[in-house]
Amino acid sequence: EVQLVQSGAEVKKPGESLKISCKGSGYSFTSYWIGWVRQMPGKGLEWMGIIYPGDSDTRYSPSFQGQVTISADKSISTAYLQWSSLKASDTAMYYCARPVDTAYGWFDPWGQGTLVTVSS
Amino acid sequence: NFMLTQPHSVSESPGKTVTISCTRSSGSIASNYVQWYQQRPGSAPTTVIYEDNQRPSGVPDRFSGSIDSSSNSASLTISGLKTEDEADYYCQSYDSSNRGVFGGGTKLTVL
C-alpha cells in the first residue's frame, strides 16, 4: 500500500525554526514527486511546491518561494518542509501528497496532515 | 499566473443533482488537466476526479467531471446526492511551469 506518513503536530513561538517531515512507503520514493499543500484555519488549499527526490529538483509557488524550503532525504524516503523563522501567519495544517506519474499529476495519496501552531 | 474561481457554497436535496463550476481566469481551461478533490471536515483531501473527467477506483459513478472551453471552466457534477457527499470540493490545475493552482473551494450542503 502506498502511504505518506507525516510527523506530529508542532507548537512553536514566532522566530523559531521548524522542519516537518513526510515519509513515503510502498513505492519507489525516488521515482515520484512529492508536493506540499497549506491549509490555513478555516481556509482553502494552497499549492506550495514539489520536489523530485531522485535528483532534488524543486519547484515553488511564487507565493511560497523564499518563505519555506522543501527538501528530501532519499536514503530514508522522507521529504521535508522547513522554516527558518516562523511567523504567526504560518499557523496552518500542512499536507504532503504525491503527484501521480508526473510533476503535474493528480495527488494520490495524501499524508494525514501536520498541524503547525505558531503563537507567543 | 491564473486563478480558479469556484462558488463559495452550493446546496441541494438528497437524490438531486448538483454541479460545481471552476472558472479559469486566463489561459485555456483545456491547456492543463483539472482535478477535483473532496475534503470532509477534519480529514485530508481525496481525489474524486482527475484529468478533467477520470474517476479513481472506488469513487462512485455519481461523480463526473467535464470542461467547457466556451466558458473556460470545469465542472464537477454529483448525481443522486447523498448526505455523505456533504464536504468541501476543490478544483486544481497547473500552469505552464507545472506549478499547481487550487480553486478557493466550494462547500456542498446536502439538506
Side-chain angles (χ1 to χ4, degrees):
Chain A
E1 179 193 7
V2 176
Q3 267 194 313
L4 296 175
V5 178
Q6 298 185 229
S7 50
E10 301 274 2
V11 179
K12 292 289 191 179
K13 291 180 167 33
E16 292 185 333
S17 62
L18 176 65
K19 194 173 191 178
I20 62 175
S21 67
C22 170
K23 183 173 176 60
S25 63
Y27 70 100
S28 174
F29 185 74
T30 54
S31 300
Y32 290 84
W33 294 79
I34 285 191
W36 287 95
V37 175
R38 183 175 79 174
Q39 187 168 39
M40 299 176 75
K43 302 298 184 183
L45 304 175
E46 299 173 270
W47 194 95
M48 300 178 72
I50 51 173
I51 187 166
Y52 189 74
D55 61 7
S56 294
D57 184 8
T58 308
R59 302 170 193 183
Y60 294 92
S61 163
S63 301
F64 292 94
Q65 179 86 48
Q67 307 304 308
V68 297
T69 301
I70 295 171
S71 62
D73 184 340
K74 57 188 178 184
S75 70
I76 55 172
S77 301
T78 300
Y80 300 99
L81 180 64
Q82 182 175 3
W83 295 261
S84 59
S85 181
L86 286 160
K87 303 185 282 289
S89 57
D90 293 317
T91 294
M93 180 73 82
Y94 293 88
Y95 294 101
C96 64
R98 190 191 74 166
V100 174
D101 293 334
T102 68
Y104 44 91
W106 53 292
F107 283 134
D108 182 70
W110 292 66
Q112 82 277 20
T114 296
L115 181 62
V116 174
T117 303
V118 184
S119 174
S120 54
Chain B
N1 215 347
F2 63 90
M3 292 172 51
L4 296 172
T5 300
Q6 302 179 231
H8 182 68
S9 62
V10 295
S11 60
E12 191 48 272
S13 304
K16 300 290 191 180
T17 296
V18 69
T19 296
I20 299 171
S21 62
C22 170
T23 302
R24 179 165 170 157
S25 62
S26 62
S28 172
I29 191 71
S31 60
N32 303 89
Y33 285 129
V34 175
Q35 281 66 239
W36 290 90
Y37 299 97
Q38 176 193 68
Q39 186 180 35
R40 295 190 173 103
S43 296
T46 60
T47 308
V48 291
I49 293 290
Y50 68 95
E51 293 179 0
D52 297 341
N53 56 19
Q54 302 299 302
R55 272 178 291 106
S57 60
V59 174
D61 60 7
R62 301 185 297 105
F63 289 81
S64 63
S66 64
I67 63 168
D68 180 356
S69 294
S70 65
S71 59
N72 213 35
S73 64
S75 294
L76 171 68
T77 299
I78 311 170
S79 60
L81 274 170
K82 301 184 176 185
T83 55
E84 69 204 46
D85 298 331
E86 190 162 287
D88 293 327
Y89 291 86
Y90 296 90
C91 60
Q92 182 258 319
S93 189
Y94 288 90
D95 66 16
S96 56
S97 301
N98 294 335
R99 289 171 174 81
V101 177
F102 281 99
T106 298
K107 181 178 179 60
L108 170 62
T109 302
V110 182
L111 33 67

